[in-house]
Amino acid sequence: MLSYALRRLLGAIPTLLILLTLAFVMMRAAPGGPFDADRELPPQVRANLEAKYHLDEPLYQQYGRYIWDVAHFDFGPSFQYRDTSVNDLIASGFPVSLKLGAASLAFALIFGVPLGMLAALRQNKLADYGAMTVAMLGISIPNFVLAPLMILLFAVYNDWLPAGGLGGWQNYVMPVLALGTAMMAYVARLARGSTIEVMRSNYVRTARAKGLSAARVVWVHALPAALTPIVSFLGPAAAGIITGSVVIETIFGIPGLGQFFVQGALNRDYTLVMGVVLFYGILIVAFNLAVDLLYGWLDPRVSY
């Protein structure tokens, strides 16, 4: 297992390098620059700023300098947040995004798995149709549509929950629902399909033939096997929830990585955008590796 993990980590280095190169090229190709504003800067001031941040150098030198800094875990200074490094911005924004993403993923699993299993155990009955209708609605409504609707319903019309910002647990209710509803729907559909397949397997029939209770058959014999596809889905799901929080954090005014990324893209903050993109890439690699290792631990048939 250790050699497998090391091979995966080494194999991720070229992928991250390609990702960083694409981000570098796309940011430089976008119109505008980090020091463009409504009021034009004097030429001498602009030249001094570009010299300070090495933007007056050829692109290949800028690229090489940035790769060297990243290799030393230095994502560089932010162009818009003066006297603040990208490392500091990521360190301040990631815990907020992580808390929001973890709560959304927990919501998706806590409600998605029972909903899918209920639909599977009541296949082609009213409970099945109702659960899958809820799942289809969750998949069909985008989070950037669901979030404003919840703000109107729960904050504007009824004043039950705060419309945005950070504070107590009430501030997390609507962002978690908006971010986790679609994932809950996917988990429910996946749990339904895997549970139906497991319940038709030979070892479940054998457990029933031994006279075990229905609850024991489901919870002891069927559930671990039914969760295996869901575990393999957790890596992309966790990464997708954290990276997908960009829209939700912007709508609700949450100062996480997503909001920093949007503001950096709008202000052409090259180092901030590239730093967040690379950090998201590292998260995706780490989540997928962790899930692959967990999958092999749950299913002894998997060989590394």
Side-chain angles (χ1 to χ4, degrees):
M1 182 183 296
L2 180 60
S3 62
Y4 170 78
L6 291 176
R7 289 198 305 270
R8 285 285 301 272
L9 291 175
L10 291 176
I13 294 177
T15 302
L16 295 176
L17 183 61
I18 293 173
L19 178 66
L20 188 60
T21 303
L22 290 175
F24 180 89
V25 172
M26 293 178 67
M27 286 302 298
R28 293 311 195 278
F35 305 120
D36 292 346
D38 295 334
R39 185 180 64 179
E40 184 67 21
L41 293 174
Q44 186 61 38
V45 174
R46 176 181 288 274
N48 291 336
L49 286 173
E50 290 179 350
K52 177 183 178 181
Y53 293 104
H54 306 287
L55 296 179
D56 57 341
E57 298 176 352
L59 285 179
Y60 71 90
Q61 290 186 8
Q62 296 182 41
Y63 177 76
R65 183 186 298 276
Y66 188 73
I67 293 297
W68 176 259
D69 291 339
V70 168
H72 293 80
F73 305 101
D74 180 11
F75 292 163
S78 172
F79 295 154
Q80 295 297 323
Y81 298 90
R82 303 297 169 81
D83 300 323
T84 305
S85 67
V86 175
N87 295 59
D88 293 336
L89 293 175
I90 291 176
S92 65
F94 178 61
V96 178
S97 298
L98 180 62
K99 185 184 297 185
L100 177 61
S104 302
L105 187 61
F107 164 77
L109 293 175
I110 290 172
F111 290 94
V113 172
L115 191 66
M117 294 190 68
L118 174 65
L121 297 176
R122 299 290 187 272
Q123 187 179 6
N124 297 327
K125 295 182 180 179
L126 183 60
D128 184 14
Y129 297 140
M132 289 302 99
T133 299
V134 172
M136 187 58 64
L137 288 174
I139 295 174
S140 302
I141 302 176
N143 56 15
F144 58 83
V145 174
L146 183 60
L149 290 177
M150 288 195 299
I151 291 175
L152 286 175
L153 179 61
F154 298 121
V156 177
Y157 293 154
N158 295 291
D159 195 24
W160 292 341
L161 295 170
L166 285 181
W169 62 268
Q170 298 89 342
N171 295 82
Y172 283 92
V173 173
M174 287 194 292
V176 166
L177 291 177
L179 191 58
T181 297
M183 197 60 62
M184 182 270 292
Y186 283 114
V187 170
R189 291 173 62 87
L190 190 60
R192 178 184 183 273
S194 61
T195 302
I196 290 175
E197 182 179 357
V198 169
M199 294 301 291
R200 294 173 178 173
S201 61
N202 292 329
Y203 74 91
V204 171
R205 293 194 184 99
T206 302
R208 286 174 171 172
K210 290 181 177 179
L212 299 180
S213 64
R216 184 174 178 81
V217 169
V218 171
W219 293 107
V220 176
H221 296 277
L223 181 60
L227 288 179
T228 305
I230 299 175
V231 169
S232 65
F233 177 69
L234 283 181
I241 278 185
I242 293 180
T243 56
S245 64
V246 171
V247 176
I248 298 302
E249 290 178 8
T250 304
I251 292 175
F252 289 99
I254 298 175
L257 274 184
Q259 195 172 50
F260 285 143
F261 179 80
V262 172
Q263 293 300 319
L266 293 175
N267 296 320
R268 301 296 185 270
D269 194 338
Y270 298 153
T271 52
L272 178 56
V273 172
M274 291 188 296
V276 173
V277 167
L278 180 61
F279 187 73
Y280 277 150
I282 294 172
L283 287 180
I284 292 173
V285 170
F287 283 140
N288 287 332
L289 176 60
V291 166
D292 286 345
L293 296 178
L294 181 61
Y295 189 89
W297 179 70
L298 288 175
D299 191 346
R301 297 172 297 178
V302 174
S303 173
Y304 293 108

